[in-house]
Amino acid sequence: MKVFFILIILFSFINNHHSIAQTNELKLMYSPFPLSKIDSNIYGSGVQVGTNISSETKHLGAFIVDYNHYLNTRFKVGINCSYDYRKTDNHNSNSYVDNWPNIDPIINETNEHTAYHWFFIGPQFGCDYIRKDKFKLGSLVSVSLAFIKEETEGSVNMERTCTKAFFHIEALSFTWGKTNGLTGQLGYGHKGVLSIGYFFSW
């Protein structure tokens, strides 16, 4: 996460003496509304069951890096990678009452902490509907390979990994600025429902 913000600071100080036709584009974005927050089961994690369960889930959000190369003034191809994180703390309480007189109820309590890490990488293809000197608006589609890691600590310690195919559809994406500035997207997939960040083109 520190590297992500360091890159943004470095790009903000780069001189803007570039040619008029920029064919390369780099985007650094963050989504406070990752798909893991909108739909907690979207990535296929198991569901824990028990008696009197209380749980708390924390989301780090999704961090996205995009690189695009323009084939012409409208169409671009590129590659993207993103990272999403979620942590769930579960408290399970089970009570058992013995029929024998003067025996207090037996209460069994367990605490489990499960962290989910998702790393996505894959190609993408986009098209700009509007292309002005300092503003671009378009859409984009992307497929990706998802590397998923689940770590559980508690009564049972467990770690497992898997890979899945995934996707992202940017219904609307924009850049505001000539060679660098504000960028964002509204869509569905591993980049989050809403992402905002900084772009740099050359």
Side-chain angles (χ1 to χ4, degrees):
M1 186 168 64
K2 291 181 179 179
V3 174
F4 184 85
F5 290 110
I6 290 173
L7 287 173
I8 293 178
I9 294 172
L10 287 176
F11 288 149
S12 66
F13 286 101
I14 292 178
N15 209 331
N16 295 329
H17 297 293
H18 304 284
S19 62
I20 295 175
Q22 292 91 28
T23 59
N24 299 289
E25 178 182 73
L26 184 66
K27 294 182 177 182
L28 305 173
M29 295 187 291
Y30 170 74
S31 175
F33 306 105
L35 200 57
S36 62
K37 187 174 184 179
I38 304 301
D39 186 349
S40 60
N41 296 317
I42 193 66
Y43 297 142
S45 298
V47 178
Q48 297 182 347
V49 296
T51 305
N52 297 328
I53 295 179
S54 62
S55 64
E56 181 182 2
T57 301
K58 298 178 180 179
H59 298 267
L60 182 62
F63 295 88
I64 308 108
V65 178
D66 277 6
Y67 168 75
N68 296 305
H69 176 75
Y70 275 89
L71 303 174
N72 51 44
T73 57
R74 296 289 181 185
F75 297 100
K76 58 185 177 181
V77 295
I79 188 171
N80 77 89
C81 59
S82 62
Y83 173 75
D84 194 356
Y85 172 85
R86 183 178 87 229
K87 182 179 180 182
T88 302
D89 298 323
N90 290 299
H91 176 74
N92 303 331
S93 177
N94 298 284
S95 35
Y96 171 76
V97 179
D98 199 317
N99 290 328
W100 195 263
N102 302 322
I103 298 295
D104 293 331
I106 300 173
I107 300 176
N108 182 29
E109 295 185 350
T110 59
N111 293 296
E112 288 187 347
H113 311 281
T114 305
Y116 304 91
H117 306 265
W118 299 281
F119 178 75
F120 304 87
I121 186 168
Q124 58 190 19
F125 176 78
C127 174
D128 290 342
Y129 309 131
I130 300 174
R131 186 181 176 96
K132 302 294 184 181
D133 188 38
K134 293 185 178 181
F135 180 77
K136 289 183 288 186
L137 181 70
S139 295
L140 182 145
V141 293
S142 172
V143 294
S144 63
L145 186 62
F147 300 90
I148 306 171
K149 182 178 181 180
E150 179 181 345
E151 300 172 314
T152 301
E153 296 180 356
S155 56
V156 176
N157 294 327
M158 179 185 65
E159 181 178 312
R160 57 183 180 178
T161 59
C162 69
T163 57
K164 291 184 179 181
F166 214 72
F167 69 96
H168 185 84
I169 298 174
E170 292 184 8
L172 288 175
S173 62
F174 77 92
T175 60
W176 184 18
K178 189 172 183 179
T179 59
N180 61 86
L182 184 66
T183 186
Q185 69 87 29
L186 181 66
Y188 183 85
H190 57 257
K191 295 182 186 180
V193 176
L194 173 66
S195 306
I196 198 76
Y198 181 82
F199 87 95
F200 174 76
S201 62
W202 67 98

